[in-house]
Amino acid sequence: MTTLHDHIQMLRAELTSFHLSRRERRQIERELEHAMAQIAATHRRSDE
């Protein structure tokens, strides 16, 4: 099973590809932002 951290690393690696269309790049960036927000929310909950 892929962890959220692994998923973020994979998305970052995908963004380094030169063969992405603008649409693909935007989709990956949205997924990355969502994953980063999930991590931030998890950290905020653990700090409470």
Side-chain angles (χ1 to χ4, degrees), residues 7-22:
H7 184 64
I8 289 170
Q9 295 304 321
M10 287 187 289
L11 291 170
R12 286 179 175 160
E14 284 182 40
L15 284 174
T16 64
S17 175
F18 293 106
H19 303 290
L20 292 174
S21 69
R22 288 181 181 161

Side-chain angles (χ1 to χ4, degrees), residues 1-33:
M1 180 174 180
T2 304
T3 66
L4 188 54
H5 178 42
D6 292 337
H7 184 64
I8 289 170
Q9 295 304 321
M10 287 187 289
L11 291 170
R12 286 179 175 160
E14 284 182 40
L15 284 174
T16 64
S17 175
F18 293 106
H19 303 290
L20 292 174
S21 69
R22 288 181 181 161
R23 193 169 109 199
E24 290 171 319
R25 183 170 298 279
R26 283 193 310 268
Q27 177 63 34
I28 293 168
E29 288 170 344
R30 281 192 297 270
E31 286 182 42
L32 181 57
E33 287 176 19

